[in-house]
Amino acid sequence: MAQKEEAAGAAGAAAAAEPAAPTSQNGEDVENLDDPEKLKELIELPPFEIVTGERLPVNYFKFQFRNVEYSSGRNKTFLCYVVETQAKGGQVQATRGYLEDEHATNHAEEAFFNTILPSFDPALRYNVTWYVSSSPCAACADRILRTLGKTKNLRLLILVGRLFMWEEPEVQAALRKLKEAGCRLRIMKPQDFEYVWQNFVEQEEGESKAFEPWGDIQENFLYYEEKLADILK
């Protein structure tokens, strides 16, 4: 069912047994790309690192955030974030951006706490919203739990496009623990994908292109919403 591909193990063995078409670090079939410059950019994308920025490329969003049931080739996590900090006087400051990872190194969820919010000011309140291509693995859920446990002035809302390995008991237990710790978990609705498109995806200068939902976006949202509800009940 709905699972990310891991970047080792059986996948490596299968690749050795049967040559596969070249793909970029982003999981795309590079033979189907017509733009030579884009092809060069994708092939040369440095592997195994955390990438940060304000807006992600359009093709990354369309491939990585698509809420498909079978997520073949999507071996990264893309995390778009909004961090609102509120002082005692009521002043609110907001920052936003995105992270992407390779699964051979720190996952995006852990990288967020290592690079974006490595420390918390006890005099401030933090309201953090994540829009993530897929839900946390068990290890990342544990990191989130530890951070929430020691940071009482942090509120975290996680909206995910897909559920990662949701049939695994370990993953289900981790998601339930997140809920019990006060972390709010939601499946991204079509409106949430549109919000990410408008606020986190590169647009041509001076022109904002309207979000075009894929055909099964609502159907897949309902599919994952039902699965998450069953896990968390």
Side-chain angles (χ1 to χ4, degrees):
M1 298 296 286
Q3 296 183 355
K4 294 180 189 169
E5 283 195 347
E6 295 299 326
E18 182 177 347
T23 58
S24 73
Q25 292 293 329
N26 199 38
E28 296 172 87
D29 185 349
V30 298
E31 291 184 343
N32 292 333
L33 292 174
D34 298 325
D35 186 342
E37 290 302 316
K38 178 60 67 176
L39 177 62
K40 182 174 183 291
E41 174 188 339
L42 290 173
I43 292 175
E44 294 181 353
L45 185 68
F48 311 138
E49 68 174 5
I50 298 296
V51 178
T52 64
E54 294 183 359
R55 289 182 177 264
L56 57 133
V58 170
N59 59 313
Y60 285 15
F61 168 79
K62 289 183 176 180
F63 182 75
Q64 296 288 354
F65 268 91
R66 186 159 181 160
N67 60 346
V68 292
E69 181 180 347
Y70 298 97
S71 53
S72 176
R74 291 164 174 84
N75 57 353
K76 290 186 178 186
T77 299
F78 280 72
L79 187 158
C80 301
Y81 62 85
V82 179
V83 178
E84 295 180 335
T85 56
Q86 183 176 7
K88 289 183 178 180
Q91 304 93 334
V92 176
Q93 291 187 333
T95 58
R96 68 179 69 219
Y98 84 93
L99 296 164
E100 64 174 277
D101 68 17
E102 288 282 357
H103 285 290
T105 183
N106 290 340
H107 292 190
E109 297 91 337
E110 182 172 2
F112 176 86
F113 292 117
N114 290 342
T115 60
I116 306 302
L117 274 183
S119 62
F120 296 85
D121 184 339
L124 300 176
R125 293 183 60 185
Y126 296 83
N127 292 307
V128 177
T129 303
W130 289 353
Y131 300 86
V132 197
S133 54
S134 60
S135 58
C137 66
C140 287
D142 183 65
R143 171 60 192 272
I144 296 168
L145 284 169
R146 286 186 278 116
T147 301
L148 288 172
K150 65 183 181 181
T151 315
K152 301 305 181 183
N153 54 335
L154 169 64
R155 298 292 178 268
L156 178 61
L157 168 62
I158 304 177
L159 299 102
V160 302
R162 304 183 302 275
L163 291 177
F164 169 62
M165 297 183 68
W166 60 267
E167 293 179 303
E168 296 294 327
E170 181 184 22
V171 172
Q172 293 182 4
L175 295 179
R176 285 192 290 269
K177 288 179 181 178
L178 285 176
K179 179 187 176 183
E180 293 166 2
C183 177
R184 292 173 292 160
L185 293 167
R186 302 285 187 273
I187 301 298
M188 288 176 64
K189 301 177 181 179
Q191 302 95 304
D192 297 316
F193 289 103
E194 183 176 12
Y195 177 83
V196 171
W197 171 266
Q198 293 174 344
N199 292 278
F200 295 99
V201 177
E202 292 177 352
Q203 305 287 337
E204 294 185 10
E205 187 173 353
E207 180 180 349
S208 180
K209 188 176 180 181
F211 173 63
E212 297 179 0
W214 43 94
D216 54 0
I217 187 172
Q218 176 68 14
E219 176 185 349
N220 291 345
F221 157 67
L222 294 173
Y223 170 83
Y224 279 119
E225 184 181 50
E226 179 182 359
K227 298 303 179 187
L228 181 60
D230 288 342
I231 291 170
L232 297 181
K233 67 182 181 183

